[in-house]
Amino acid sequence: MRHLAEAQVNVELDTGDMILNLGPQHPATHGTLRLVVRLDGERVLAADPVIGYMHRGYEKLTEFRTYPQVTTLINRIDWLSSFANEVPFMDAAEKLMGIEAPPRAYWIRTTLTELSRIATFLLFLGEMGLQVGALTPAFYGFRDREHVLNLIEAATGGRFHPNFNRIGGLKDDLPWGWIAETRSTMKIVLDACDQFEDLVLGNEIFEARTRGIGIIPGDIGTNYGVSGANLRASGVDWDLRRDGRPYLAYPELDFKVWTHTDGDSYARYWVRLQETREAARIVLQCLEGMPAGPIMAKVPRIIKVPEGEVWVETENPLGQMAYYVISKGATGPFRVKIRSASFSNVSILPWLLQGVFVPDVITILASLYFILGDIDR
């Protein structure tokens, strides 16, 4: 018996891989995204994103709406930057009809698009801190975004679903005092960026959890269709506001396209922080150069779009947003294909999550910053 007690027995147990479901309702997935990961201990062997839990069929629904009614659908695709979703569809309809909105309408659209970008990114800058255990940045993000949403509401009447764009222009002009209020708010936004820089980027825990984590090489990101700040954080200097076809007032504005070479979670945060500052500067330029004049072109009372097809793409807060519209000459589109940024930005997950540890999955998901409505459209 003594010999047995002193004997050392080494046995390798084949425990097999473990399957872990993250979502479809999980705080880390920010919506109804289900992520099926196969684990070896704490390390991810494979990850399979499962989407479609909130499919809303927007593309099909547009075939049964008039052109003005379509805006009430598409501003819900990415509900955090809904005004920016309306712009490319209006642009597509105007191109098919051969209509140009007045210059003032273009400048107001540019201003509100950039305000949508700021509101979206302020939430990201706060929530990203939350993913590594810091609650205070989340409160700051919600607090500062409120100032921007107030501006959007004052101009459009809606905080999340403005339905403010019209074919040929805008529903209304800017209210009295709005420009002065916006100037003051941009000062708040720029100060908030400084606070996030000190609070989050200067935090050693944040650096440890994001530096070298979730690296996307530029060529890999391009092959997967990743766009927006996620791609610019991988060193790809591509922004449709500057590099696409000229649209809105961007050709007349002076702004910098920010890039980072590291391609990790830290770089994606850093680029969005700089882009928030840049968006505030663009808004101030728009307020300074805002032309006078009408906000609506002359359009028929009943909108009928001539037969044809068009592809329009813009640089939305989450990345490339495009509409392919086919018209058969009716009051509504015959076919609409939506190319939204989030779908492509998460398509890289099976490649990106291989070999990372479970806690890093959370920060990587947060740094990619996607909206499920933008995926399950």
Side-chain angles (χ1 to χ4, degrees):
M1 294 295 291
R2 182 182 177 188
H3 292 295
L4 288 175
E6 291 178 351
Q8 293 184 349
V9 179
N10 294 321
V11 178
E12 289 190 6
L13 297 176
D14 183 11
T15 57
D17 301 335
M18 185 177 78
I19 301 297
L20 177 66
N21 279 280
L22 287 172
Q25 297 289 347
H26 190 280
T29 58
H30 296 273
T32 51
L33 173 68
R34 178 181 169 215
L35 199 62
V36 182
V37 292
R38 185 159 57 87
L39 301 175
D40 176 13
E42 282 282 306
R43 191 177 290 276
V44 175
L45 297 178
D48 181 22
V50 182
I51 63 173
Y53 287 93
M54 59 179 297
H55 180 58
R56 298 173 292 179
Y58 283 155
E59 291 176 347
K60 195 65 180 173
L61 286 171
T62 60
E63 298 174 13
F64 301 94
R65 301 290 190 279
T66 64
Y67 282 93
Q69 289 173 334
V70 170
T71 56
T72 63
L73 296 173
I74 57 178
N75 62 27
R76 285 164 167 77
I77 296 173
D78 169 12
W79 46 75
L80 292 184
S81 50
S82 47
F83 182 88
N85 292 346
E86 297 179 9
V87 171
F89 183 80
M90 288 294 108
D91 197 3
E94 288 167 357
K95 286 194 178 314
L96 286 169
M97 295 182 70
I99 291 176
E100 280 197 10
R104 184 174 175 82
Y106 281 143
W107 282 70
I108 294 175
R109 281 179 181 175
T110 310
T111 307
L112 290 168
T113 297
E114 292 305 315
L115 287 177
S116 296
R117 194 182 313 278
I118 293 170
T120 304
F121 284 179
L122 284 176
L123 196 60
F124 165 81
L125 297 174
E127 283 195 344
M128 184 70 184
L130 186 64
Q131 303 303 322
V132 296
L135 186 58
T136 302
F139 288 137
Y140 283 13
F142 278 104
R143 177 199 65 187
D144 299 325
R145 187 183 70 143
E146 198 67 14
H147 297 291
V148 182
L149 291 182
N150 288 341
L151 290 174
I152 295 174
E153 182 183 24
T156 68
R159 297 169 72 80
F160 287 99
H161 306 301
N163 194 25
F164 190 60
N165 284 280
R166 298 290 184 271
I167 294 175
L170 299 166
K171 176 177 174 290
D172 292 311
D173 206 336
L174 296 173
W176 185 85
W178 191 85
I179 288 180
E181 181 66 26
T182 305
R183 280 200 184 96
S184 303
T185 304
M186 291 307 99
K187 174 72 170 56
I188 295 174
V189 170
L190 291 171
D191 289 344
C193 290
D194 294 340
Q195 285 182 328
F196 282 118
E197 184 143 16
D198 292 339
L199 194 64
V200 180
L201 285 185
N203 186 292
E204 61 182 37
I205 296 175
F206 183 81
E207 284 216 8
R209 294 289 307 279
T210 56
R211 288 272 195 189
I213 305 293
I215 297 175
I216 302 176
D219 56 337
I220 299 291
T222 304
N223 290 341
Y224 275 95
V226 175
S227 61
N230 289 333
L231 190 61
R232 289 189 285 275
S234 298
V236 179
D237 187 12
W238 183 58
D239 189 316
L240 286 167
R241 292 174 294 178
R242 183 197 62 190
D243 305 320
R245 62 164 186 85
Y247 74 100
L248 298 185
Y250 292 114
E252 300 177 55
L253 299 173
D254 179 29
F255 62 94
K256 180 176 180 178
V257 175
W258 292 88
T259 60
H260 199 288
T261 55
D262 289 353
D264 54 11
S265 298
Y266 183 94
R268 291 187 279 276
Y269 188 93
W270 185 89
V271 167
R272 286 198 180 90
L273 177 63
Q274 307 311 321
E275 291 191 356
T276 307
R277 288 185 170 120
E278 202 65 41
R281 296 184 188 113
I282 291 175
V283 169
L284 291 173
Q285 286 184 60
C286 288
L287 300 180
E288 192 67 31
M290 184 78 68
I295 48 123
M296 271 297 293
K298 288 185 178 179
V299 296
R301 183 176 291 274
I302 298 177
I303 302 289
K304 275 194 174 182
V305 175
E307 195 167 336
E309 55 189 62
V310 66
W311 165 269
V312 169
E313 58 184 0
T314 57
E315 185 69 36
N316 274 28
L318 298 183
Q320 182 190 22
M321 181 84 179
Y323 293 89
Y324 180 60
V325 182
I326 300 177
S327 172
K328 293 291 186 182
T331 55
F334 173 74
R335 185 76 178 93
V336 174
K337 172 61 183 171
I338 303 169
R339 195 284 186 198
S340 59
S342 293
F343 182 82
S344 298
N345 286 351
V346 302
S347 67
I348 199 172
L349 282 176
W351 179 87
L352 184 59
L353 296 183
Q354 276 187 5
V356 306
F357 292 101
V358 172
D360 295 334
V361 173
I362 308 304
T363 55
I364 291 171
L365 287 176
S367 70
L368 288 176
Y369 198 42
F370 48 85
I371 299 295
L372 262 296
D374 206 32
I375 297 172
D376 290 349
R377 57 187 180 275

